[in-house]
Amino acid sequence: MPATVIVGAQWGDEGKGKIVDLLAQGSDLVCRYQGGPNAGHTIVVGGETYKIRQIPSGIVAGKRSAIGAGCVVDPAVLIGELDELAQRGHRTEGLLFVSGNAHLVMPWHVALDGARERRLGRLQIGTTRRGIGPAYADKATRIGIRVQDLLDPKILRQKLELAVAEKNVWLERVYELEPFDVEEIVTAYLGHAERLRPYVADTSLLVDRALRSGERVLFEGAQGTLLDLDHGTYPFVTSSSPIAAGAAVSFGVGPRRIDEVVGVAKAYVTRVGEGPFPSEIEGPDQARVQELGHEFGTVTGRERRCGWLDLVALRFAVRVNGITSLALTKLDVLSDFAALPVCVRYRLEDGTETEDLPAHQSDFHHCRPVFETLAGWGCEIGDSLPRAAQAYVSFVEGALDVPVTLVGTGAARERVLALS
Ligand code: IMP
């Protein structure tokens, strides 16, 4: 289909990079629509591992790639990725387009993110400390610096001077941190501006033209549905809109231009950072899933909390994204287990049970999972699904009324089964 959105259907880290990489092969333009260097896609191609944080992973497949207005961009990180891709033989100029309306993550955003988390102590959100929340906050208060500001040295200097003056007050007086030196910042960012100038583009026009000429456009979200600022498990969320509708907002195209929404979910669930997690595994299987699935953050290296597959949360993801098909990743991680609990309902504090994610945060915070246990398959997954693995997949499809069209069976690019 001409316009497809790939969305994380859980709390991020669903293995979207690999699915994007796969679907990118048949796409003409790959578009990242939200987040910034808090994301981390791991792609394994021909034995080489790529860990990409900002550039759409389609670039590894040599596809035209765009970063939309709804993203935040850390210039230093972006330049680092451009350099690394160049070293590994990938062309980026003429292939990567960055929206002039995207906002910049500045060093004070990073400093403030860490300082706020430290101050929150036990109540911290567990952010990636990459400056994401403070950058989006400045965007919303309309004092942010945008990618297009890099194109005009005079405006850039003006904006940097203003920003440094204000942020230094916060850093010094509120958080007792070292202030930034305005001239050092101006010199560094004028340098970044020169590097990034060739990549700045009108990405709304780019996507519109691509769709009009019949090209296939793939929108990739970072993070996941339950980390959505509006619809996720607030305040334990990120500061942007990972849900599918975010793609239309970020790229400035009408919502009716989107044809398909592919939800990516692990065959179990993981979450990094704080916040409620109903199907979180209790007991030694927690460490076992973590180890078998190598569940450590791509960006922060933090241990990911592991849970059994949660169909209540997935049903919510199907609803808010309009998911038309699902990719179930890392099914192979479950091959070691004789019995597989799947969360089918939540039991609320008053004893009632629900198949739908509670709308009120207190209900969600206190609910308990109701599991049904499915049989494991007890062998490695080869070129086809063992019978019990097929039953596991069918159970998910039946519960959600959405087809599972792709199943991930290993880290390498080719370890994906297409189901008809
Ligand atoms: P922030 O996006 O750094 O502000 O972090 C807010 C929340 O989103 C925290 O719970 C993070 O752990 C989580 N988060 C942000 N990016 C990712 C990601 O790429 N994968 C999983 N969790 C993420």
Side-chain angles (χ1 to χ4, degrees):
M1 292 300 267
T4 301
V5 177
I6 296 191
V7 63
Q10 295 160 328
W11 273 284
D13 308 317
E14 297 91 349
K16 292 181 292 295
K18 181 173 163 175
I19 303 299
V20 172
D21 181 45
L22 184 77
L23 298 187
Q25 313 300 319
S27 305
D28 301 294
L29 179 62
V30 183
C31 300
R32 165 92 181 267
Y33 63 85
Q34 46 73 229
N38 50 344
H41 284 335
T42 308
I43 309 164
V44 184
V45 187
E48 284 218 39
T49 302
Y50 293 82
K51 289 187 189 271
I52 303 182
R53 287 159 57 187
Q54 294 214 140
I55 299 179
S57 38
I59 205 94
V60 177
K63 299 294 171 170
R64 275 151 65 225
S65 298
I67 296 178
C71 296
V72 287
V73 174
D74 186 324
V77 175
L78 181 57
I79 290 167
E81 286 185 1
L82 290 170
D83 288 345
E84 199 195 324
L85 285 167
Q87 271 165 22
R88 295 170 81 172
H90 295 275
R91 177 166 80 86
T92 51
E93 248 190 84
L95 276 186
L96 176 69
F97 304 88
V98 185
S99 168
N101 290 357
H103 279 248
L104 298 183
V105 182
M106 303 300 294
W108 41 88
H109 294 139
V110 180
L112 288 169
D113 198 358
R116 275 186 197 145
E117 285 284 272
R118 278 193 295 280
R119 180 154 294 188
L120 280 169
R122 247 175 13 90
L123 297 176
Q124 69 175 356
I125 292 163
T127 74
T128 58
R129 302 192 179 202
R130 295 302 188 273
I132 306 302
Y136 277 110
D138 277 1
K139 168 181 172 174
T141 25
R142 293 152 297 176
I143 54 164
I145 302 176
R146 297 194 291 175
V147 166
Q148 60 178 282
D149 295 326
L150 295 171
L151 298 179
D152 185 329
K154 208 168 126 207
I155 291 186
L156 183 61
R157 172 177 276 277
Q158 249 174 27
K159 293 204 170 187
L160 289 173
E161 283 174 355
L162 263 175
V164 172
E166 193 207 300
K167 298 302 174 187
N168 277 350
V169 176
W170 279 90
L171 289 166
E172 289 186 277
R173 304 237 186 111
V174 179
Y175 294 108
E176 294 168 359
L177 292 175
E178 286 298 307
F180 285 96
D181 178 82
V182 71
E183 281 313 315
E184 268 176 33
I185 293 282
V186 168
T187 308
Y189 279 75
L190 287 174
H192 293 338
E194 279 321 300
R195 281 295 310 276
L196 295 180
R197 179 182 292 277
Y199 298 98
V200 182
D202 180 342
T203 53
S204 166
L205 201 55
L206 182 79
V207 170
D208 182 64
R209 286 189 176 149
L211 289 174
R212 278 176 198 277
S213 60
E215 290 190 322
R216 289 151 304 174
V217 178
L218 191 64
F219 296 98
E220 63 166 307
Q223 288 85 43
T225 303
L226 292 153
L227 292 173
D228 186 89
L229 181 60
D230 293 289
H231 300 283
T233 50
Y234 191 91
F236 304 104
V237 294
T238 192
S239 297
S240 60
S241 301
I243 61 168
V249 176
S250 176
F251 276 90
V253 294
R256 293 183 62 184
R257 309 284 294 275
I258 292 166
D259 303 288
E260 294 286 327
V261 179
V262 179
V264 184
K266 268 182 193 152
Y268 48 100
V269 191
T270 59
R271 140 160 241 189
V272 279
E274 308 307 314
F277 184 2
S279 71
E280 189 162 17
I281 300 171
E282 291 168 4
D285 283 347
Q286 169 70 232
R288 222 169 132 207
V289 173
Q290 197 175 70
E291 197 186 314
L292 289 166
H294 309 291
E295 296 298 353
F296 302 92
T298 314
V299 174
T300 59
R302 286 183 292 176
E303 287 182 358
R304 297 179 183 143
R305 299 155 66 192
C306 299
W308 300 118
L309 187 63
D310 182 344
L311 292 180
V312 180
L314 259 190
R315 183 173 292 109
F316 173 76
V318 169
R319 166 159 50 100
V320 299
N321 293 299
I323 288 173
T324 52
S325 67
L326 271 173
L328 210 56
T329 59
K330 296 184 108 169
L331 191 63
D332 55 303
V333 172
L334 300 183
S335 297
D336 248 33
F337 294 85
L340 297 167
V342 174
C343 174
V344 289
R345 290 184 299 281
Y346 293 164
R347 184 172 302 124
L348 305 181
E349 261 195 320
D350 65 4
T352 56
E353 292 188 2
T354 177
E355 286 191 336
D356 291 306
L357 199 89
H360 197 284
Q361 60 183 1
S362 302
D363 289 333
F364 185 64
H365 281 232
H366 296 118
C367 69
R368 299 288 307 152
V370 178
F371 288 114
E372 244 177 69
T373 302
L374 306 192
W377 37 96
C379 60
E380 278 185 23
I381 302 177
D383 292 337
S384 65
L385 289 184
R387 191 179 292 269
Q390 260 172 38
Y392 190 86
V393 171
S394 301
F395 189 78
V396 174
E397 292 181 316
L400 303 177
D401 199 19
V402 167
V404 173
T405 51
L406 294 169
V407 173
T409 61
R413 181 196 239 174
E414 57 279 6
R415 302 287 296 152
V416 178
L417 295 177
L419 307 182
S420 48

